[in-house]
Amino acid sequence: MSRTTVATIHLGALRHNLERIRSLAEPAKVMAVVKADAYGHGLERVARALDGAADAFAVASLGDGLRLRAAGHRQRIVVLSGPDQAGDIAEMQRLGLDAAIHHESQLRWLSEASPTRGRLRVWLKVDSGMHRLGFAPERAAAVHAQLSTMTGIDPDIGLMTHFAESEVFDGERTREQIQRFQQATTGLSGPRSLSNSAAVLGWPDARGEWVRTGGLLYGLSVVEGKAGEDFGFRAAMTLSTRLIAINAIRRGERIGYNGLWECPEDMPVGVAAVGYGDGYPRSAAAGTPVLVGNQRVPLIGRVSMDLITLDLRQAPDARVGDRVVLWGPELPVEIVAAQAGTISYDLTCGMTRRVLFVEDDN
Ligand SMILES: *Cc1c(COP(=O)(O)O)cnc(C)c1O
């Protein structure tokens, strides 16, 4: 057990972040996006921490809605891609889940569904330019009208769209998407929901009645060069392990698989018990910072399945057994992600089953 890599989830940070989103997005209601096992933080754990605080939860699929209902949550739960097959509709009615409706095939299933099982709440999804899910803007009014005539559907139909690059605060594409959505939905009744996390930070005109925030809830940012903490959010995950060896390696020797890194002098090389088998990115470049005690030291050599190697020249007091932090409040995951050629979401979502999850109130 002592070698286990540990992900500590900070429940206090989750609650702080939700309040921070609420104050930025006011008076909009907050849908807490907990898809992908709450961005790797644990679906049931995060839902428990935010129960009563979030106005609704949003998930990617019916299965996650089922898990939340099984855990006893009574809030609204929005399934962001709606029913994947005709049979899902009855299940969504039974579980009282809101369904995003984004495609003609779903309209067909809805028209054939039994209205006796209770009214389904739906969100009409408009494709304002991302071209992933949603009806073309020119179809929005007709689909809204069609949904309004279906007896099994709650008449308070939500209107939703999703941005492709809202983290580019001065970009043209988001402005265009906002305009297209407004045009497509003019005169249609129902609450609007446009903003993801980055849009809450950078696009105040896109608030609508509901915001749908994932990343910020976990203290994560996708804004280039910025971490969640730069916007007043707190990291909700610390990934940590231990130093299990310190070796004196001679100048000119090469470290790890394929000998990618050569020692420029005689030096101490630390070995920490974490690797891509835990979800630490194999693509992390030499120089990626790692915390040993309170000292940032650079990763050297290739990340292997169970281990990483560290340049300890700047940490002469490091000892075997010292705590090693891969990311967390003192070392933003955004920095590690940038060094690995990806985004923070990808890293927190990528924790494997070998990682031990614990929680605290920080
Ligand atoms: C994932 C997702 C969100 C949340 O995005 P963040 O950038 O994590 O806030 C919102 N809406 C939809 C449709 C999504 O798929």
Side-chain angles (χ1 to χ4, degrees):
M1 269 319 254
S2 64
R3 275 190 55 173
T4 308
T5 304
V6 178
T8 307
I9 306 303
H10 310 302
L11 305 184
L14 291 169
R15 289 188 279 257
H16 163 87
N17 293 340
L18 184 75
E19 282 319 303
R20 174 104 184 104
I21 293 165
R22 196 177 280 296
S23 68
L24 287 171
E26 242 169 11
K29 291 189 180 165
V30 180
M31 224 181 262
V33 181
V34 291
K35 65 192 185 190
D37 207 30
Y39 292 44
H41 296 64
L43 174 62
E44 285 85 359
R45 173 183 301 109
V46 170
R48 175 167 35 83
L50 301 180
D51 196 46
D55 299 300
F57 292 115
V59 294
S61 65
L62 176 55
D64 283 352
L66 181 59
R67 277 171 65 184
L68 287 175
R69 288 289 183 241
H73 296 288
R74 294 275 145 261
Q75 269 109 328
R76 282 180 80 169
I77 299 172
V78 181
V79 180
L80 292 172
S81 42
D84 293 333
Q85 49 194 350
D88 287 354
I89 292 172
E91 187 69 352
M92 296 180 105
Q93 286 171 306
R94 185 178 74 80
L95 293 167
L97 305 178
D98 290 23
I101 301 298
H102 60 81
H103 197 264
E104 305 289 346
S105 57
Q106 295 174 320
L107 288 178
R108 219 165 36 245
W109 304 332
L110 281 172
S111 65
E112 291 158 5
S114 158
T116 56
R117 293 171 189 270
R119 286 190 156 180
L120 190 68
R121 278 204 272 214
V122 300
W123 292 81
L124 165 56
K125 182 148 185 185
V126 178
D127 175 14
S128 58
M130 173 144 173
H131 305 314
R132 194 176 59 176
L133 294 183
F135 291 95
E138 55 275 19
R139 280 283 290 144
V143 174
H144 191 271
Q146 191 180 346
L147 289 169
S148 304
T149 63
M150 292 182 187
T151 49
I153 291 192
D154 192 299
D156 194 26
I157 297 165
L159 296 161
M160 176 187 287
T161 197
H162 193 51
F163 295 129
E165 54 169 40
S166 55
E167 71 278 9
V168 182
F169 293 160
D170 53 3
E172 273 309 304
R173 289 192 65 195
T174 304
R175 188 164 308 291
E176 229 174 74
Q177 284 197 263
I178 294 170
Q179 276 165 6
R180 282 193 200 171
F181 180 74
Q182 277 167 351
Q183 273 167 19
T185 58
T186 302
L188 304 182
S189 65
R192 268 68 171 161
S193 177
L194 299 84
S195 292
N196 57 358
S197 289
V200 166
L201 297 175
W203 295 92
D205 341 342
R207 292 287 143 72
E209 281 74 33
W210 286 83
V211 297
R212 307 184 307 273
T213 43
L216 288 182
L217 209 50
Y218 311 101
L220 306 174
S221 150
V222 291
V223 179
E224 174 92 40
K226 299 268 191 211
E229 66 172 349
D230 296 321
F231 301 104
F233 291 86
R234 280 161 47 190
M237 178 191 286
T238 296
L239 182 67
S240 65
T241 184
R242 300 273 167 193
L243 208 54
I244 61 164
I246 299 175
N247 299 310
I249 308 293
R250 292 262 182 227
R251 174 178 173 205
E253 291 295 315
R254 292 173 167 276
I255 306 297
Y257 285 122
N258 310 115
L260 296 184
W261 199 87
E262 183 179 327
C263 295
E265 58 182 319
D266 293 0
M267 59 182 277
V269 172
V271 183
V274 66
Y276 65 81
D278 302 287
Y280 190 82
R282 183 170 180 276
S283 55
T288 302
V290 171
L291 267 181
V292 176
N294 295 320
Q295 180 68 44
R296 276 192 196 192
V297 303
L299 178 85
I300 54 176
R302 180 161 268 169
V303 171
S304 52
M305 189 181 290
D306 310 313
L307 301 166
I308 56 173
T309 37
L310 304 171
D311 173 354
L312 291 183
R313 283 176 293 173
Q314 302 304 314
D317 299 332
R319 294 289 172 267
V320 169
D322 281 358
R323 184 163 188 256
V324 173
V325 170
L326 292 317
W327 58 72
E330 299 86 34
L331 177 58
V333 63
E334 288 86 350
I335 293 178
V336 180
Q339 291 278 347
T342 186
I343 62 167
S344 55
Y345 296 12
D346 185 23
L347 298 192
T348 64
C349 280
M351 298 291 90
T352 68
R353 296 168 66 159
R354 185 161 83 181
V355 175
L356 176 70
F357 275 73
V358 300
E359 53 194 54
D360 65 22
D361 283 320
N362 293 342

